Amino acid sequence: MPVTTKATIEVDGEPLEGAVQFFLDKAAGFAEDFSMGRDIAQAVKKVSQADAEALALLDLRVFNTDRHGGNLLLLGNDWPRMPGPIDHGCCLP
């Protein structure tokens, strides 16, 4: 997961809080931009089963209820690619 830092900026004289994330330049794109397929044999060509299971366990541990293709990057140049989870705003409620 990209390094994330809490930040405060001033806009029109008011402080606004938010977060800044490290830019991942090896991201191929969002998972939703690639057809994953429902068949396990096709899916493991995109992301290894071990990596998918590791991400699922992370989401279970931090109670992330918002994992979807729009907040999952695929990293690297070769298939299968590494998942890069982003947007953990719905974690640890």
Side-chain angles (χ1 to χ4, degrees):
M1 114 180 36
V3 175
T4 304
T5 303
K6 188 175 177 182
T8 304
I9 63 170
E10 190 172 308
V11 177
D12 295 330
E14 286 191 44
L16 298 176
E17 292 186 0
V20 177
Q21 288 190 322
F22 181 74
F23 180 75
L24 295 172
D25 59 351
K26 296 190 186 223
F30 293 102
E32 67 185 9
D33 294 338
F34 299 90
S35 176
M36 188 65 67
R38 296 185 184 268
D39 181 305
I40 188 72
Q42 294 298 316
V44 296
K45 291 178 181 177
K46 304 288 176 142
V47 175
S48 77
Q49 184 172 348
D51 288 340
E53 289 174 357
L55 177 57
L57 286 172
L58 170 68
D59 284 341
L60 284 169
R61 286 183 179 204
V62 298
F63 200 64
N64 184 3
T65 59
D66 189 37
R67 179 68 59 220
H68 54 79
N71 62 23
L72 180 63
L73 296 174
L74 295 182
L75 307 175
N77 297 321
D78 300 320
W79 298 101
R81 295 195 170 160
M82 186 78 165
I86 59 172
D87 187 4
H88 297 85
C90 292
C91 290
L92 303 170

